[in-house]
Amino acid sequence: MLQTPQVQHTLMAYLRHELCTPIDATIGYSAMLLEELQTQPDSIFVADLQKIHTCSQQLLTLVTTILDPVQLEMSQIDGELSRFGAELRMELLTPISTIIGYCEMLLEEAPAELIADLDKIHTAAHQLLSLVNDIVHLAQQQLQRLTTPDTNSPLLLEHPVTAILLRSATTTLETLDRESTVTQSQGGMILVVDDNPTNCDLLSRQLKRQGYTVTTATNARQALRLLKAIAYDLILLDAIMPEIDGLELLQQLKQDDRFKHIPAIVISALETIDVAVKCIELGAEDYLQKPCNPILLQARIATSLEKKRLRDREILYRQQVEHLTATAAAIEERNRIAREIHDSLGHSLTALNVQMQAAATLLLTDPTQAHSFLSQAQRLGKTAMQEVRESVRALRTEERTEQPFAETIAALAEEFRQVTGITPNICLRLTQPLSFSVSKTLYRIVQEALTNISKYAGATEVQIHSIATEHRIDLKITDNGRGFNAHQQTTGFGLQGMQERIAALNGKFHLTTSPGSGCQIQVELPVLLN
């Protein structure tokens, strides 16, 4: 009857899965009841519950051993399916009957708070008994499916063993109330996805006892609706579900940016390594085999949640870094705007003020000369207005002015001469064109230096020297004015603006001055490409 080892392996895995589902229920509910009665060790119900729990574990051992295809010789059941079914029933009947018997006694005597779980144990045991009594028919149905596999099965994994995912509807027990709160708890939000209501109820109650907030879904579509509405920290996912199976749902989640960061642990009765590998390849955090050891499950959940918390912290840290970076950029932009206004408009307004003061002084004694100063002041006023327009346009468009560096310095020197009467000595030795950023920075340094000299230095001589090499450009501005104490704190923005401009291009700024000894500004900048 069983023609290949692969078919035999598949059939055994299928039968083991079907029988283990109600066994898991009897183990889980009896364990929870025993835990509730820990504070009452002398209770007359503890001994009977312990017997139910022991028989349930015995059933699990028998099922996993008898239906192990590695230990089961093919000749034992080839053509002898009826005899095999009878032997299986004989092995399992005694512990099943024991569970049912003790459960019925407890249902008659136990307090009201234990009745609900005892009834679930009783229902699961009868479900198991029904499956065992009908094991031959169940096996024949599955063999028929295996010989004509559905290639459109949503969980076909390129391996024959996955045909067991064509599960029978007979494994579904009575519908249980699955309403659960969605309030965030300290332990974390967990979504349990399993088409078996008993499994959902067991996992939900076990996890709630451990401090987690749990929601359950019995199919993939319901799970997706919940995921869109609630921010979960972890998903416990059954691999075997009708319509959209667990692995297909896992694949959808990991391809969706909204959900791919949520860790998923796949739980399945399948013992094949192929399914476990497939789960990990699809992005599962872990894979556990039913029935899950509660301590192991708790450890895996705790580890997965901790990893997610670390990932969430990393994401939050990156967002904070991005925010701080944006804030720093905004501050730097504000400082750049302040430097532009100070260096350009401030220079023109300083010269304008000098001309107006000179005109006011000569207005009565030399009207002709005063008129000349007023004309110069009018020109400087137009220049200041033009500087304002240029600054606004530059802030909006970052427009570049490609005027050669030597020409811009010559224009500054001529303006300085007209204001102060001093002709600067200029020496520029440039072997190659300067980049826009270097040229603009040096222009602003010279502009600010000449403005300070005209306002404060009282100098009679000014020198502007610049030398460019292959790797750097040096600028030196010297005057023979009154100088100042470089260590004394000043309220001016000019020197600070110079230093910020140079630092932005990884350059060096040196100031040499003292009272009565003039002033020298030295700048070194790396040569930058346009």
Side-chain angles (χ1 to χ4, degrees), residues 122-195:
H122 190 252
T123 301
H126 274 286
Q127 175 69 18
L128 178 61
L129 180 60
S130 176
L131 289 171
V132 171
N133 286 334
D134 199 32
I135 195 70
V136 174
H137 179 62
L138 191 65
Q140 288 174 337
Q141 283 185 324
Q142 184 61 14
L143 282 173
Q144 178 63 28
R145 289 171 180 158
L146 291 175
T147 55
T148 56
D150 180 6
T151 56
N152 294 321
S153 174
L155 187 57
L156 198 59
L157 302 180
E158 301 178 359
H159 194 285
V161 73
T162 59
I164 58 176
L165 301 177
L166 298 167
R167 64 178 306 188
S168 170
T170 58
T171 58
T172 305
L173 303 179
E174 60 179 349
T175 302
L176 303 174
D177 180 14
R178 297 180 298 279
E179 293 181 357
S180 57
T181 179
V182 295
T183 305
Q184 177 73 46
S185 73
Q186 185 176 3
M189 289 284 295
I190 299 179
L191 175 62
V192 176
V193 187
D194 195 314
D195 66 314

Side-chain angles (χ1 to χ4, degrees), residues 342 448 452 455-456 488-497 499:
H342 178 275
E448 176 61 23
N452 290 339
K455 290 169 64 176
Y456 310 116
Q488 183 177 354
Q489 185 175 4
T490 62
T491 59
F493 187 74
L495 287 175
Q496 179 184 345
Q499 292 169 346

Side-chain angles (χ1 to χ4, degrees), residues 11 40 54 61 84 87 116 120 146 156 245 260 276-277 282 307 359 365 395 398 408 428 451 482 489 514 521 527:
L11 177 61
Q40 307 173 39
T54 301
T61 301
F84 168 74
E87 292 176 354
K120 291 170 185 173
L146 291 175
L156 198 59
D245 58 71
K260 65 182 182 182
V277 171
L282 289 176
K307 287 182 180 178
T365 60
L395 291 175
E398 290 296 328
T408 61
L428 305 178
T451 298
R482 61 177 60 96
Q489 185 175 4
S514 60
I521 293 174
V527 174

Side-chain angles (χ1 to χ4, degrees), residues 260-298:
K260 65 182 182 182
H261 66 284
I262 305 176
I265 298 177
V266 178
I267 301 176
S268 175
L270 305 180
E271 293 185 357
T272 172
I273 191 65
D274 301 272
V275 178
V277 171
K278 188 68 175 180
C279 291
I280 301 302
E281 289 176 346
L282 289 176
E285 194 75 20
D286 213 330
Y287 177 89
L288 292 176
Q289 184 180 327
K290 293 180 181 179
C292 298
N293 181 292
I295 298 176
L296 178 61
L297 177 61
Q298 168 63 11

Side-chain angles (χ1 to χ4, degrees), residues 28 55 79 87 135 162 195 249 270 287 303 305 311 314 354 461 466 530:
C55 287
E87 292 176 354
I135 195 70
T162 59
D195 66 314
L249 175 59
L270 305 180
Y287 177 89
T303 299
L305 288 175
R311 285 195 291 264
E314 182 181 358
V354 171
E461 295 180 2
S466 182
N530 284 303

Side-chain angles (χ1 to χ4, degrees), residues 179-183 188-192 200 203-205 207-208 212-216 232:
E179 293 181 357
S180 57
T181 179
V182 295
T183 305
M189 289 284 295
I190 299 179
L191 175 62
V192 176
C200 285
L203 271 176
S204 176
R205 290 176 56 179
L207 294 173
K208 286 178 181 178
Y212 300 112
T213 299
V214 186
T215 310
T216 61
Y232 288 99

Side-chain angles (χ1 to χ4, degrees), residues 495-509:
L495 287 175
Q496 179 184 345
M498 290 184 188
Q499 292 169 346
E500 289 176 353
R501 287 183 181 278
I502 299 304
L505 297 182
N506 296 319
K508 297 179 181 179
F509 178 88

